[in-house]
Amino acid sequence: MKTGHTHLFIPGPTNVPDDVRRAMNVPMQDQRAPDFGALTLGLIADLRPVFGTTSADVLLYPGSGTGAWEAALTNTLSPGDKVLMARHGQFSVLWVDMAQRLGFDVEVMDRPWGEGTPVAAFAERLAADKDHHIKGVFVTHNETATGVTSDVAGVRAALDACGHPALLFVDGVSSIASLPFRMDDWGVDLAVTGSQKGLMCPAGLGILAVSEKAVEASKTARSYRCYFDMGDMRRMMADGYFPYTPPAQLLHGMRAALDRIKAEGLDQVFARHHRLAEGVRKGVAAWGLTLCAAEPALWSDTVSAIRVPESVDARDVIRIAYARYNTSLGSGLSQLAGKVFRIGHLGDLNEGMVLAALGVAELSLHEAGYPISFGSGVGAAQAHFAHAAGSARMAAE
Amino acid sequence: MKTGHTHLFIPGPTNVPDDVRRAMNVPMQDQRAPDFGALTLGLIADLRPVFGTTSADVLLYPGSGTGAWEAALTNTLSPGDKVLMARHGQFSVLWVDMAQRLGFDVEVMDRPWGEGTPVAAFAERLAADKDHHIKGVFVTHNETATGVTSDVAGVRAALDACGHPALLFVDGVSSIASLPFRMDDWGVDLAVTGSQKGLMCPAGLGILAVSEKAVEASKTARSYRCYFDMGDMRRMMADGYFPYTPPAQLLHGMRAALDRIKAEGLDQVFARHHRLAEGVRKGVAAWGLTLCAAEPALWSDTVSAIRVPESVDARDVIRIAYARYNTSLGSGLSQLAGKVFRIGHLGDLNEGMVLAALGVAELSLHEAGYPISFGSGVGAAQAHFAHAAGSARMAAE
Amino acid sequence: MKTGHTHLFIPGPTNVPDDVRRAMNVPMQDQRAPDFGALTLGLIADLRPVFGTTSADVLLYPGSGTGAWEAALTNTLSPGDKVLMARHGQFSVLWVDMAQRLGFDVEVMDRPWGEGTPVAAFAERLAADKDHHIKGVFVTHNETATGVTSDVAGVRAALDACGHPALLFVDGVSSIASLPFRMDDWGVDLAVTGSQKGLMCPAGLGILAVSEKAVEASKTARSYRCYFDMGDMRRMMADGYFPYTPPAQLLHGMRAALDRIKAEGLDQVFARHHRLAEGVRKGVAAWGLTLCAAEPALWSDTVSAIRVPESVDARDVIRIAYARYNTSLGSGLSQLAGKVFRIGHLGDLNEGMVLAALGVAELSLHEAGYPISFGSGVGAAQAHFAHAAGSARMAAE
Amino acid sequence: MKTGHTHLFIPGPTNVPDDVRRAMNVPMQDQRAPDFGALTLGLIADLRPVFGTTSADVLLYPGSGTGAWEAALTNTLSPGDKVLMARHGQFSVLWVDMAQRLGFDVEVMDRPWGEGTPVAAFAERLAADKDHHIKGVFVTHNETATGVTSDVAGVRAALDACGHPALLFVDGVSSIASLPFRMDDWGVDLAVTGSQKGLMCPAGLGILAVSEKAVEASKTARSYRCYFDMGDMRRMMADGYFPYTPPAQLLHGMRAALDRIKAEGLDQVFARHHRLAEGVRKGVAAWGLTLCAAEPALWSDTVSAIRVPESVDARDVIRIAYARYNTSLGSGLSQLAGKVFRIGHLGDLNEGMVLAALGVAELSLHEAGYPISFGSGVGAAQAHFAHAAGSARMAAE
């Protein structure tokens, strides 16, 4: 029988803070009541800074982040439209697959898993697209499967350099609210996230922020759509209501989560994610292991995919952690199965939790056959945290 | 400031029982963990009898019932396919609208609001469709806007009478788990419901049960779809998993809700809904008011839409109940705005709650200008309940 | 199987509001942490106005209101001390019993159950006690068993009239936070309540407010005491801490409950209790039944004890309400068993709840053999509520 | 702002498991309802094996463990009775203090803090007490302040050796449900615990198990008592009811906690406590620090009090852990203030939690000035856990 706190270190759903859990435990209410809209409008107002926008429409779709992906596509593109996408991890693979199934003409650039969006190749391709056949360019901001953060600003610069009018779609599911995201600065037209990652709620809301340009595109886009139709949603949500019954308890949870983010301060949230991620990475290095991410510039502050040597099956590591130590680590997906395990370090986290994650990973690696020095990774992370704490003290003095 | 229990009598979301609320208050978990699938599979096994089926696939879509409508359509039909639908209330209006927006050729039969699915007219039309151009026939089992329950078995008989192969789509959002629903007996191919009605959970899951014939149709249907794709969902759900992150807390809530339904017994659930609905109707009659439903055969046991005289604005009744008595009544939708108020009497309910609903409605009708005799509706309902209790006692002796 | 909302109309524990329940659902915390004391101190500050005092010490004892009774006695009296008490209901009976068992010399005045504290007889006795042998005078402010509110101010006047120095002890368990209570104005020395009545929390905290004079008395009182010792408690609670582990979740619940009281306003709380109690009483009169309270001046606004005719066993009424209608009514205690049932109408309540209570009581009385006219009591209460609402509207215009 | 899971490692209140928290989140109910008693009776039945008794009465007092101490004393002793007690830590100090304040003649043996009950000295003193003036002998089974577990069986043997009839009182607040406790085998007459330690609930229930001999003693004991009177409590609790309003939500929590204990198995619970405690102790040794407990035979499996060198103030360690790392460590009480910090490792715990505790302690010790090697204690604990896991695997094969 499992005892004690369940250590959850998958890259989503993330740990839901106690006050968010409390806030969700509400009786049902009338979603058409005169005072219901205020709840939604408050969320939208507070989500905008999280997306790095002052003006984009933020839409809350009952569903998952995958649903918000679909909403982004079908509302702004017409069947047969050409779009430019890269594949370099399981979630970019899935987004390509979705675009193909929804009838778009996807030009795919494949890259080894562990690399990011190929900015230079995108730039070259866009510059070559003199007739602007490409209607959309896609960036997976944070590839959850590989722990890789891509350069959205670089893609924007590539578009601007050749004056390309394509819409810029960004999957921010595992980045938004955890990593700096600058929708307005980067000229992102459609930014997608879900409730269950940096926003620290259960799954159940797909969130889509749309630029004015994307709204304009939706007026002529001819993809069939109804549930995810942006027009209905924007019309209702202007007053804080929904075209169909929303998962109200999630809205209350989101309220509490956004209150937390405001209380901590977005910059502090980002700094904390970086500090804790760096602790994990110091630990991985001390183990003598490497990340899946091809180079430090791509390291993700929300999830680390850790390669194990061939003599070890990463699935064993995950299985042992789960069965014996009540700890959930992320698995290697698709071509990475057995080759990596992942530590999600986003959302509501602190140093002690990271030390537990590393400590349990060490026990599990040991039992899976990797000759680890107990405490090595934990100690490396501690040294980083102690250093950070020292710097914080000095800054405060 | 509002005090006391919030009296919720909208026809959904319905009152979530305390044990369901408790069951949902869980920490997040890994939706890919080896023991996760068992949770989902148990739900599916227990949902089947609720749909009245032993063999249909039951699919759980993160989203609302509206999403499950869309899943039913896009998975089994191709753009341009002809479908037969009736419009006789706001929710049948919306379903027609969805079918049109998703590119189908909708043949619509309009009926006055308050009537049900026009079985005879459907039968005639189907018999005339010798070449089987019609691919789908649609029934809104329970029109939530008007409180009308339609005759699904009659439509099946009409299809059978002329050997018509069209798929039978049924919207059971506000009927399933509250009214008898016999998917297998009625030969329903696609039955839709949501988590927030008879299933006594918050909104957030659209539930779709599909016959083997519907599964077969999905293999050739050419509507674009991805999020709601039945193939992905069936493949994953065969083991109890999802193609994307599910709202896990709702699954736990559904577990508790289905345990309640099993403990009470489906027949007892239906009998209770009938008894309480009859109490409401006795009360309405005692007030000298009438239902929107055109005739007793159409009366819904889950929601009553109550017509007010022209001298009264039903919106006032609802506003007063909400503002002064912490009570949510259902509003009149679209062409019924101001003309009806609705009492939802489905889900987790008992006699005392119905008496509170009627009692507050009397206070609100009075204040809205209707010359009511205080206690008249309550008393009529009580007489019915006392009679039912007496019968129950006699049966037990 | 019981379905629907559980209708709770016992005179405590009362219905806990949803936000109070949420507030209590906290993980454990260190009760010695540097920021813990602030929670307690905030409660004490906000409890003072509820007790009608600006200066009394308010002490929170883990335990029940009965424990706070004992704390009041043992901290201020010495074995053998003479005290003056009346018995006119089960709770005054129990307090007398406690005083006797703790070794005090109790002079008891017995009165028929349904009467209040005999102010005139107390005055006479006190005036005769020239040598001030009587060390304490006791008032059961609200006799929960009979629904009788006694005249504390009258007893204070009696003490003042003859310059008697006895301490004034008041049991406010079922009055404080629901009825006006003026500790300072009435010169109450020891006022007792519990968390589970007007304070809308679960049971688990006995609350004792003590005047400066009572504190002074505690310095020489020679009753043995430790757990309930006022000295330890006052010393620790001065900083917001406890001499032993407190039930922290109740403190968080109390915080939310006091926030509700502040938001509604104490005067509004009292007015609401009176309005709803009056509705109950109108209903009882319409049934042709009478209250246990001997005269209108004694009617309690927190609980009504309703006499049934000899042909009816009140236990049947309670049993039927509980078994068939998921409704808890209060029983007749001791000599009132079978002769009365009680409706608790204190705490977090509203009109709809009262109508449900009366409606279910009517059903239960009917089934227990009382020839009731269905809707009669409900209608009488509605008429009162409608009148009150009309007055409120006029006042607002 | 604090983020992430709050790491709670005080020796009580302990971490409340999620299912216990859920179980407590109930609406209020009538504590006199016909089905209420079954809840209490089930708890008592399942508490007996936890106390190691098949026949003792188990009484549940609303209050804290301190209240149950008082109940043990006042129900079985008369003022002036001589009792034998030892003082060797803050909680034995407090129990002595209580006994003195309640009027008993306490013969105290003082021992250095860190030692246990002086069994040999007790044996000698009892043997010398030919006339059996000593009415009670007291053992603090687990001294929470020093992390010392005493030898109850030894004291029983000492009593038996000289045929001494004194009652044997045992404070098991921080041992029962975590350490083996054999009330029947050890001939314990009064065993005390609280809800907030090994029983994994919030504080609010003092639990007292009484032997037949203790019940007999209560019939002649002349200490004044009422709230804690064993007679009332035993009479009511025989049917599962209480003499005053119980904290019902705690009873539901206890139900869930006992279900957990049954599911894990008491022996497994004890083995887990030992394994995790041993991990902590290995860590402490690796740091070069020592425990307060004077020798290994006294080491407590529920709490470790860790001595810091004179150059370090243990209060700094605790302050840093709390303020910077959202971690609560136990403080040094009274004469140990500043000299020890404590890690509570009882209740609902697992390996990852222990690693987090040690990891944060290392960070805090470092910042407080102790020259620690990061990861040293964590690594030592891991080695122990890996070894234990290996042994478990081998045993299973």
Side-chain angles (χ1 to χ4, degrees):
Chain A
M1 189 188 136
K2 294 192 178 180
T3 63
H5 181 67
T6 298
H7 306 281
L8 186 71
F9 295 104
I10 55 172
T14 63
N15 295 282
V16 176
D18 252 281
D19 47 6
V20 175
R21 279 179 63 183
R22 268 194 296 282
M24 289 191 296
N25 191 359
V26 286
M28 293 298 98
Q29 63 193 115
D30 181 4
Q31 76 275 12
R32 294 193 183 92
D35 50 1
F36 187 86
L39 169 62
T40 314
L41 294 177
L43 299 180
I44 290 172
D46 288 333
L47 280 166
R48 281 207 186 93
V50 173
F51 277 84
T53 181
T54 58
S55 61
D57 271 9
V58 177
L59 307 176
L60 306 174
Y61 287 100
S64 77
T66 306
W69 275 0
E70 180 160 323
L73 290 160
T74 56
N75 276 291
T76 56
L77 298 170
S78 300
D81 274 359
K82 179 181 280 296
V83 295
L84 179 63
M85 304 179 88
R87 271 194 301 225
H88 52 95
Q90 177 65 6
F91 291 92
S92 43
V93 161
L94 287 172
W95 213 9
V96 167
D97 176 62
M98 171 182 272
Q100 290 170 334
R101 288 159 74 172
L102 292 174
F104 307 111
D105 174 15
V106 186
E107 185 168 327
V108 183
M109 293 192 183
D110 275 302
R111 287 295 179 276
W113 288 29
E115 296 201 354
T117 300
V119 175
F122 268 33
E124 193 174 339
R125 180 65 189 83
L126 288 167
D129 181 38
K130 304 291 190 202
D131 298 338
H132 299 162
H133 289 303
I134 295 170
K135 301 302 178 199
V137 178
F138 289 65
V139 179
T140 298
H141 185 211
N142 194 74
E143 190 25 284
T144 319
T146 58
V148 162
T149 303
S150 284
D151 178 12
V152 182
V155 175
R156 165 49 55 201
L159 283 158
D160 288 351
C162 60
H164 201 292
L167 293 167
L168 179 54
F169 293 71
V170 179
D171 171 3
V173 169
S174 61
S175 66
I176 287 170
S178 300
L179 306 185
F181 194 91
R182 313 195 187 286
M183 182 166 184
D184 288 353
D185 291 352
W186 296 341
V188 174
D189 293 301
L190 295 117
V192 172
T193 194
S195 47
Q196 81 276 20
K197 307 273 184 175
L199 289 168
M200 304 180 286
C201 288
L205 282 176
I207 307 174
L208 176 63
V210 290
S211 72
E212 198 178 334
K213 183 171 160 189
V215 170
E216 207 53 41
S218 76
K219 295 177 181 166
T220 54
R222 286 171 290 95
S223 292
Y224 292 136
R225 60 189 179 267
C226 183
Y227 183 76
F228 289 120
D229 185 65
M230 187 187 289
D232 290 349
M233 189 58 88
R234 289 182 64 245
R235 195 158 39 246
M236 293 298 290
M237 203 151 281
D239 298 319
Y241 293 83
F242 289 77
Y244 26 70
T245 314
Q249 89 278 27
L250 276 179
L251 303 181
H252 290 284
M254 187 71 76
R255 178 67 271 153
L258 289 167
D259 287 343
R260 284 188 75 85
I261 289 174
K262 288 169 79 171
E264 187 176 2
L266 260 179
D267 286 346
Q268 289 303 311
V269 170
F270 300 150
R272 174 170 56 81
H273 276 79
H274 181 66
R275 182 175 76 248
L276 298 177
E278 196 66 15
V280 170
R281 291 188 289 257
K282 298 289 187 197
V284 171
W287 296 337
L289 297 179
T290 57
L291 294 178
C292 182
E295 49 166 331
L298 299 174
W299 284 349
S300 164
D301 280 347
T302 62
V303 56
S304 294
I306 300 159
R307 290 192 183 276
V308 295
E310 290 212 354
S311 60
V312 175
D313 188 332
R315 285 169 291 218
D316 285 342
V317 179
I318 295 160
R319 181 183 49 74
I320 293 162
Y322 188 71
R324 195 180 292 284
Y325 299 111
N326 202 359
T327 300
S328 289
L329 301 173
S331 54
L333 300 175
S334 188
Q335 62 174 249
L336 293 177
K339 297 181 181 165
V340 310
F341 69 93
R342 292 178 295 155
I343 296 179
H345 34 74
L346 73 167
D348 189 45
L349 221 70
N350 59 33
E351 281 81 357
M353 295 167 80
V354 167
L355 299 183
L358 294 173
V360 169
E362 292 180 2
L363 281 167
S364 305
L365 280 161
H366 164 83
E367 187 169 334
Y370 182 71
I372 203 155
S373 170
F374 284 131
S376 59
V378 171
Q382 285 171 315
H384 175 70
F385 296 149
H387 181 76
S391 303
R393 269 199 313 281
M394 278 193 294
E397 278 162 13
Chain B
M1 189 187 137
K2 294 190 177 183
T3 64
H5 182 67
T6 297
H7 306 281
L8 185 71
F9 295 103
I10 55 172
T14 63
N15 295 281
V16 176
D18 252 280
D19 48 5
V20 175
R21 279 179 62 183
R22 269 194 296 281
M24 291 191 295
N25 191 359
V26 287
M28 292 299 98
Q29 63 193 114
D30 182 5
Q31 77 274 12
R32 293 192 183 92
D35 51 0
F36 187 86
L39 169 62
T40 314
L41 293 177
L43 299 181
I44 290 171
D46 287 333
L47 279 166
R48 281 208 186 93
V50 173
F51 278 85
T53 181
T54 59
S55 61
D57 273 8
V58 177
L59 308 176
L60 306 174
Y61 287 100
S64 77
T66 306
W69 275 0
E70 180 160 322
L73 290 161
T74 55
N75 277 289
T76 57
L77 299 171
S78 300
D81 275 359
K82 179 181 279 296
V83 296
L84 179 63
M85 304 179 86
R87 270 193 303 225
H88 51 96
Q90 177 66 4
F91 290 92
S92 43
V93 162
L94 287 172
W95 214 9
V96 167
D97 176 61
M98 171 183 273
Q100 290 171 333
R101 288 159 73 171
L102 292 173
F104 307 111
D105 174 16
V106 186
E107 185 167 327
V108 183
M109 294 193 183
D110 274 302
R111 287 295 178 274
W113 288 29
E115 297 200 354
T117 301
V119 177
F122 268 33
E124 193 174 339
R125 180 65 188 84
L126 290 166
D129 182 37
K130 304 290 189 200
D131 299 336
H132 300 162
H133 289 304
I134 295 171
K135 302 302 179 197
V137 178
F138 288 66
V139 180
T140 298
H141 185 210
N142 195 74
E143 187 30 279
T144 319
T146 59
V148 163
T149 302
S150 285
D151 178 13
V152 182
V155 175
R156 165 46 57 199
L159 284 158
D160 288 351
C162 59
H164 200 292
L167 294 167
L168 178 55
F169 293 72
V170 180
D171 170 4
V173 170
S174 61
S175 67
I176 287 170
S178 300
L179 307 184
F181 194 91
R182 312 194 187 286
M183 183 166 183
D184 289 353
D185 292 352
W186 297 340
V188 174
D189 293 301
L190 295 118
V192 173
T193 194
S195 47
Q196 81 277 21
K197 307 274 184 173
L199 289 168
M200 304 179 286
C201 287
L205 282 176
I207 307 174
L208 176 64
V210 290
S211 71
E212 200 179 332
K213 182 172 160 189
V215 170
E216 209 51 42
S218 75
K219 295 175 182 167
T220 53
R222 287 171 290 95
S223 292
Y224 292 136
R225 58 188 181 266
C226 184
Y227 183 77
F228 290 119
D229 185 64
M230 187 187 291
D232 290 348
M233 188 58 87
R234 288 182 64 244
R235 195 159 39 247
M236 294 297 290
M237 204 152 280
D239 298 318
Y241 293 83
F242 289 77
Y244 26 70
T245 314
Q249 89 279 25
L250 275 179
L251 303 181
H252 290 283
M254 188 72 77
R255 180 65 270 153
L258 289 167
D259 286 343
R260 285 188 74 86
I261 288 173
K262 287 169 79 171
E264 187 175 3
L266 259 179
D267 286 346
Q268 289 302 311
V269 170
F270 300 151
R272 174 171 56 81
H273 275 79
H274 181 67
R275 182 174 77 249
L276 297 178
E278 197 66 16
V280 170
R281 291 188 288 256
K282 298 289 188 196
V284 171
W287 296 337
L289 296 180
T290 58
L291 294 178
C292 182
E295 48 167 332
L298 300 174
W299 285 347
S300 164
D301 280 347
T302 63
V303 54
S304 294
I306 300 159
R307 289 192 184 276
V308 294
E310 292 213 353
S311 59
V312 174
D313 188 332
R315 286 170 289 218
D316 285 342
V317 178
I318 295 159
R319 181 183 50 73
I320 292 162
Y322 188 71
R324 192 180 295 282
Y325 299 111
N326 202 358
T327 300
S328 287
L329 301 172
S331 55
L333 299 175
S334 189
Q335 63 175 248
L336 293 177
K339 296 181 180 166
V340 311
F341 69 95
R342 291 178 296 155
I343 296 179
H345 34 74
L346 74 167
D348 189 45
L349 219 71
N350 59 31
E351 282 81 356
M353 294 167 80
V354 167
L355 299 183
L358 295 174
V360 169
E362 292 180 1
L363 280 167
S364 304
L365 280 161
H366 164 82
E367 187 169 335
Y370 182 71
I372 204 156
S373 170
F374 282 133
S376 58
V378 170
Q382 284 171 314
H384 176 70
F385 296 149
H387 181 76
S391 304
R393 268 198 315 281
M394 278 193 293
E397 280 163 12
Chain C
M1 191 188 133
K2 293 190 178 181
T3 64
H5 181 66
T6 298
H7 306 282
L8 185 72
F9 294 103
I10 55 172
T14 63
N15 295 281
V16 176
D18 253 280
D19 47 6
V20 175
R21 280 179 61 182
R22 270 194 296 281
M24 290 191 296
N25 191 359
V26 287
M28 292 300 98
Q29 63 193 116
D30 182 4
Q31 76 276 12
R32 293 193 183 91
D35 50 1
F36 187 85
L39 169 60
T40 314
L41 293 178
L43 299 180
I44 290 172
D46 288 332
L47 279 166
R48 281 208 186 93
V50 173
F51 277 84
T53 181
T54 58
S55 62
D57 272 9
V58 177
L59 308 176
L60 306 173
Y61 288 100
S64 77
T66 306
W69 275 0
E70 181 161 322
L73 290 161
T74 56
N75 276 290
T76 56
L77 299 171
S78 300
D81 275 358
K82 179 182 279 294
V83 296
L84 179 63
M85 304 180 87
R87 271 194 302 228
H88 51 95
Q90 178 64 6
F91 292 92
S92 42
V93 161
L94 287 172
W95 213 11
V96 167
D97 176 62
M98 171 182 274
Q100 290 171 334
R101 289 160 73 172
L102 293 174
F104 307 110
D105 174 16
V106 186
E107 186 169 326
V108 183
M109 293 192 183
D110 275 302
R111 287 295 179 275
W113 288 28
E115 296 202 354
T117 300
V119 177
F122 268 32
E124 195 174 337
R125 180 65 189 83
L126 289 166
D129 181 36
K130 304 292 187 200
D131 298 337
H132 299 162
H133 290 302
I134 296 171
K135 300 303 178 195
V137 178
F138 288 67
V139 180
T140 298
H141 185 211
N142 194 74
E143 193 19 289
T144 319
T146 58
V148 163
T149 302
S150 284
D151 178 13
V152 182
V155 175
R156 165 48 57 201
L159 283 159
D160 289 351
C162 59
H164 201 292
L167 293 166
L168 179 55
F169 293 73
V170 179
D171 170 3
V173 170
S174 61
S175 66
I176 288 171
S178 300
L179 306 184
F181 194 90
R182 313 196 186 285
M183 183 167 184
D184 288 355
D185 292 353
W186 297 342
V188 174
D189 293 301
L190 294 118
V192 172
T193 195
S195 47
Q196 81 275 20
K197 307 275 182 172
L199 289 169
M200 304 179 287
C201 287
L205 281 177
I207 307 173
L208 176 63
V210 290
S211 71
E212 199 177 333
K213 184 174 161 189
V215 170
E216 208 52 42
S218 76
K219 295 175 182 167
T220 54
R222 286 171 291 96
S223 292
Y224 292 136
R225 59 187 180 266
C226 184
Y227 183 76
F228 290 120
D229 186 65
M230 187 188 287
D232 290 348
M233 188 57 90
R234 287 181 64 243
R235 197 159 37 248
M236 294 297 291
M237 204 152 279
D239 298 319
Y241 293 84
F242 289 76
Y244 26 69
T245 314
Q249 90 279 27
L250 276 180
L251 303 181
H252 290 285
M254 188 72 75
R255 179 65 271 152
L258 289 166
D259 287 343
R260 284 188 74 86
I261 289 174
K262 287 169 79 171
E264 187 175 3
L266 261 179
D267 286 346
Q268 290 301 311
V269 170
F270 300 150
R272 173 171 55 80
H273 276 78
H274 181 65
R275 182 174 75 247
L276 298 177
E278 196 66 16
V280 170
R281 292 188 288 256
K282 299 288 189 197
V284 171
W287 297 337
L289 297 179
T290 57
L291 294 178
C292 181
E295 49 167 330
L298 299 174
W299 285 348
S300 164
D301 279 347
T302 63
V303 55
S304 295
I306 301 158
R307 291 192 182 275
V308 296
E310 290 212 353
S311 59
V312 174
D313 188 333
R315 285 170 290 218
D316 286 341
V317 178
I318 295 160
R319 182 183 50 73
I320 294 163
Y322 188 71
R324 192 179 295 282
Y325 299 111
N326 202 357
T327 299
S328 288
L329 302 172
S331 54
L333 300 174
S334 188
Q335 63 174 248
L336 293 177
K339 296 182 181 166
V340 311
F341 69 93
R342 292 178 296 155
I343 297 178
H345 34 74
L346 75 167
D348 189 44
L349 219 72
N350 60 32
E351 282 82 358
M353 295 167 81
V354 168
L355 299 182
L358 294 174
V360 169
E362 292 180 2
L363 281 166
S364 305
L365 280 162
H366 164 83
E367 187 168 335
Y370 182 71
I372 204 157
S373 171
F374 283 133
S376 59
V378 171
Q382 285 171 314
H384 176 70
F385 296 148
H387 181 76
S391 303
R393 270 200 314 282
M394 278 192 295
E397 279 161 13
Chain D
M1 191 186 133
K2 293 191 178 181
T3 64
H5 182 67
T6 297
H7 306 282
L8 185 72
F9 295 103
I10 55 172
T14 64
N15 295 281
V16 176
D18 253 280
D19 47 7
V20 176
R21 279 179 62 181
R22 269 195 295 282
M24 290 191 296
N25 190 359
V26 287
M28 292 300 99
Q29 63 193 116
D30 182 4
Q31 77 275 12
R32 293 193 183 91
D35 50 1
F36 187 86
L39 169 61
T40 313
L41 294 177
L43 299 181
I44 289 171
D46 288 333
L47 279 167
R48 281 208 186 92
V50 173
F51 278 84
T53 182
T54 60
S55 62
D57 273 8
V58 178
L59 308 176
L60 306 173
Y61 287 100
S64 77
T66 306
W69 275 1
E70 180 160 323
L73 290 161
T74 56
N75 277 290
T76 56
L77 299 171
S78 300
D81 275 358
K82 180 181 278 293
V83 296
L84 179 63
M85 305 179 85
R87 271 194 301 224
H88 50 96
Q90 178 65 7
F91 291 93
S92 42
V93 162
L94 288 171
W95 213 10
V96 168
D97 176 61
M98 172 183 273
Q100 291 172 332
R101 290 159 73 172
L102 292 174
F104 307 110
D105 174 15
V106 186
E107 186 168 326
V108 183
M109 292 193 184
D110 276 300
R111 286 294 179 276
W113 288 29
E115 297 202 353
T117 301
V119 176
F122 268 34
E124 193 174 338
R125 181 63 189 85
L126 289 166
D129 182 38
K130 304 291 187 199
D131 298 336
H132 299 161
H133 290 304
I134 296 172
K135 301 303 178 196
V137 179
F138 288 66
V139 180
T140 297
H141 185 211
N142 194 74
E143 191 22 286
T144 319
T146 59
V148 162
T149 302
S150 286
D151 178 12
V152 183
V155 175
R156 164 49 56 199
L159 283 158
D160 288 352
C162 59
H164 201 293
L167 294 166
L168 179 55
F169 293 73
V170 180
D171 170 3
V173 170
S174 62
S175 67
I176 288 171
S178 300
L179 307 184
F181 194 90
R182 312 195 188 286
M183 182 166 185
D184 288 354
D185 292 352
W186 298 340
V188 174
D189 293 301
L190 294 119
V192 172
T193 194
S195 47
Q196 80 276 21
K197 306 276 183 169
L199 288 169
M200 305 179 286
C201 288
L205 281 176
I207 307 174
L208 176 63
V210 290
S211 72
E212 199 178 332
K213 183 173 159 188
V215 169
E216 209 51 42
S218 75
K219 295 175 182 166
T220 55
R222 287 171 290 96
S223 291
Y224 292 136
R225 58 188 180 266
C226 184
Y227 183 76
F228 290 120
D229 185 65
M230 187 187 288
D232 290 349
M233 188 58 90
R234 288 182 63 244
R235 198 160 35 246
M236 294 297 290
M237 204 154 277
D239 298 319
Y241 293 83
F242 289 76
Y244 25 71
T245 313
Q249 89 280 26
L250 276 179
L251 302 181
H252 291 283
M254 188 71 76
R255 180 64 272 153
L258 289 167
D259 287 344
R260 285 188 73 85
I261 288 173
K262 287 170 79 172
E264 187 175 4
L266 260 179
D267 286 346
Q268 291 301 311
V269 170
F270 300 150
R272 173 170 55 81
H273 276 79
H274 181 66
R275 182 174 76 249
L276 298 177
E278 197 64 16
V280 170
R281 291 188 289 256
K282 298 289 188 198
V284 171
W287 296 338
L289 297 179
T290 57
L291 294 178
C292 181
E295 48 168 331
L298 299 174
W299 285 348
S300 164
D301 280 347
T302 62
V303 56
S304 295
I306 300 157
R307 289 193 183 275
V308 296
E310 290 213 354
S311 59
V312 174
D313 188 332
R315 285 169 291 216
D316 285 342
V317 178
I318 295 160
R319 181 183 50 73
I320 293 163
Y322 188 71
R324 192 180 297 282
Y325 299 111
N326 202 358
T327 300
S328 288
L329 302 172
S331 54
L333 300 175
S334 187
Q335 62 174 248
L336 294 176
K339 297 180 180 166
V340 312
F341 69 94
R342 293 178 296 154
I343 297 179
H345 34 74
L346 75 167
D348 189 45
L349 220 71
N350 59 32
E351 282 81 357
M353 294 166 81
V354 167
L355 299 183
L358 294 173
V360 169
E362 292 180 2
L363 281 166
S364 304
L365 280 161
H366 164 82
E367 187 168 336
Y370 182 71
I372 204 156
S373 169
F374 283 133
S376 58
V378 171
Q382 285 171 315
H384 176 70
F385 296 148
H387 180 76
S391 303
R393 269 200 315 282
M394 278 191 294
E397 278 161 13

